Structure formats: structure tokens, C-alpha cells
Amino acid sequence: MSNQLSQRPHRNFYGRLKGKALKPSQKAYLSEDLTALSPGAVDWHTNPERVPLDLAGLFDNRPVWLEIGFGGGEHLVHQAKSNPDIGIIGAEPYINGVAMLLGKIRKAGVENLAVHPGDARDLFDVLPEASISRAFLLYPDPWPKKRHHRRRFVTPEHLEPLARALKPGSVFRVATDIPDYVRQTMEEVPRAGFEWLAEGPKDWREPWGDWISTRYEQKALRECRTPHYLTFRRKD
């Protein structure tokens, strides 16, 4: 096992893992609920061979969706509740956000949801090829300084394994209020094997029909930033 662990790629992580002190109720959610919501062995110390996850067994052969960086979990729970015929996995390394999500899951009573409380890149390692039917990247960390743009999700390090995990023809949604993030998304996502589906301005100015506005979007609107809703399709 030690030899296999030594093959783990070096991955810098720049975001926050923890914020302010958790409430007692949030600590309880983490200790009581999180393990049961695991999609399977994702981390290198539990799966050094990088055996693919059994998504068919996890979600009873239902289509599987993926949200990358779910923040406080509003959208993730909304999609799970609105689409009981699918399974959805959320990946988020920020433990405060994970705790918030678990509280929302308890309240909503959804059961078609799995949670990876860590780096999405580790999850990509063990997602079977062409196993994901839809993916969401909603208000990702903008890393506004130019020297930090390589830390953004919309880089080959993230997009190439995402494209491998997505089924041909599947949809990838990106929402952001940062104009330069839009620019980088429009450059990098097509290079990774996607086509942009917009036919007119309303297709990126208006939210999707099943959209629920998150707290991050509400903050952007209060600060007079304009949301963009970008829809891509994984090429065949």
C-alpha cells in the first residue's frame, strides 16, 4: 500500500478547509450523518488502487449528476428533491459548507444524494469513465488576481478528468458573476471537449428553468455584479 500511496499525484490546494467554529448541531450532523452519505472509497488512504466507484449500486442504476463545490448546499438539495429519479453527488472541501448541507438534507429528507467532503480531483480519479449525466459548477472561487488564474477550476487539470467522467451528450452548467471567469470558461471548456449551447443573449443572461438562487448569487446581486449562466454539452 505504501508504494501505491507514493504514486499519489502532488496536488496543491489553495481554498479554505474550515471557517468559523461549527455550531453543536453542525458537529452532530458531521458525526452522525456524513459517513452514511459517502459515495464510496474516494480518498487515497482508503483506496490507493483507485478502484472506480460503484455508482450503479450506489444509486440503483439511476442517472448520476455531479455538483462541484456546492457551497452551502442549497442547489444540491433542490436538485435532489426535484429529481428523485436521479442520484447526485456533491463535492466540497470546505467543512462548514458540508455541515450546512447536512442540515439541509435532514430538513428536506432527500435520500438520493451522496457527499464527498474533499477535493473534487480525488473524486474524479475514481469516477468511472462516461458515468456522469450532468455536472454543475456554480459560483466557483474566482481567484481574481491574474497570477492566481491557474487555480481556477476551469483549467485542464480539472476539466480534462471531468470530461472523461461525463457521458457524451451530457450537460455541464457553469454560473459565475465574474467577467474574467466567463472569458476563461469560454476559452478553456471548449478545448476540453465541450460545445457552448447558447443561441442568443437570453441563454446566458437568464437562469435555467430549474434554477434556485443561492446565497452566493444573492450576494453578487446585492453588490451589483451580473450573473452569467453558461451551458455546455459534452461532445460525442
Side-chain angles (χ1 to χ4, degrees):
M1 179 178 292
S2 60
N3 182 53
Q4 290 161 327
L5 286 173
S6 68
Q7 298 175 15
R8 178 179 183 174
H10 176 71
R11 289 168 173 164
N12 289 322
F13 183 80
Y14 300 101
R16 291 191 301 168
L17 294 176
K18 190 173 182 180
K20 62 184 180 180
L22 297 172
K23 300 175 182 178
S25 60
Q26 293 177 323
K27 292 180 180 179
Y29 300 153
L30 291 169
S31 64
E32 297 170 9
D33 298 354
L34 185 56
T35 299
L37 291 169
S38 171
V42 174
D43 295 330
W44 278 77
H45 69 278
T46 57
N47 185 3
E49 297 88 359
R50 313 315 284 151
V51 176
L53 298 175
D54 178 15
L55 299 185
L58 180 66
F59 291 121
D60 297 323
N61 291 304
R62 286 176 283 186
V64 181
W65 295 359
L66 171 67
E67 183 167 344
I68 304 145
F70 53 73
E74 303 99 318
H75 178 265
L76 188 63
V77 171
H78 168 71
Q79 291 291 353
K81 189 172 182 178
S82 302
N83 298 279
D85 55 337
I86 63 99
I88 185 166
I89 301 172
E92 173 62 64
Y94 183 52
I95 199 65
N96 296 64
V98 173
M100 291 175 64
L101 167 69
L102 296 179
K104 292 180 175 70
I105 291 173
R106 280 198 182 190
K107 184 176 181 180
V110 292
E111 298 181 347
N112 56 328
L113 195 155
V115 182
H116 169 56
D119 195 325
R121 292 171 295 183
D122 291 337
L123 179 62
F124 292 154
D125 289 343
V126 293
L127 287 176
E129 185 173 351
S131 61
I132 302 299
S133 299
R134 179 169 295 188
F136 306 91
L137 178 68
L138 309 175
Y139 294 97
D141 195 322
W143 295 111
K145 294 181 180 179
K146 186 173 182 179
R147 68 178 183 272
H148 293 160
H149 287 182
R150 61 186 175 82
R151 300 180 182 181
R152 291 173 171 175
F153 184 89
V154 287
T155 57
E157 180 184 8
H158 302 90
L159 292 172
E160 290 173 2
L162 173 64
R164 181 196 65 81
L166 284 169
K167 293 181 178 180
S170 58
V171 166
F172 177 37
R173 293 179 176 178
V174 181
T176 180
D177 57 304
I178 307 299
D180 191 68
Y181 207 104
V182 174
R183 175 201 60 78
Q184 189 169 347
T185 299
M186 294 304 301
E187 290 176 357
E188 296 292 345
V189 174
R191 290 174 184 166
F194 296 83
E195 58 181 335
W196 189 32
L197 297 183
E199 297 180 353
K202 71 179 182 66
D203 292 326
W204 69 82
R205 292 176 179 170
E206 297 180 7
W208 301 284
D210 58 353
W211 177 243
I212 179 173
S213 187
T214 68
R215 61 195 178 106
Y216 292 103
E217 179 168 277
Q218 291 302 310
K219 179 181 178 182
L221 293 171
R222 288 195 303 270
E223 296 176 359
C224 298
R225 294 193 300 274
T226 302
H228 295 73
Y229 308 93
L230 309 174
T231 307
F232 300 90
R233 176 184 176 274
R234 177 73 171 94
K235 293 181 180 178
D236 296 336

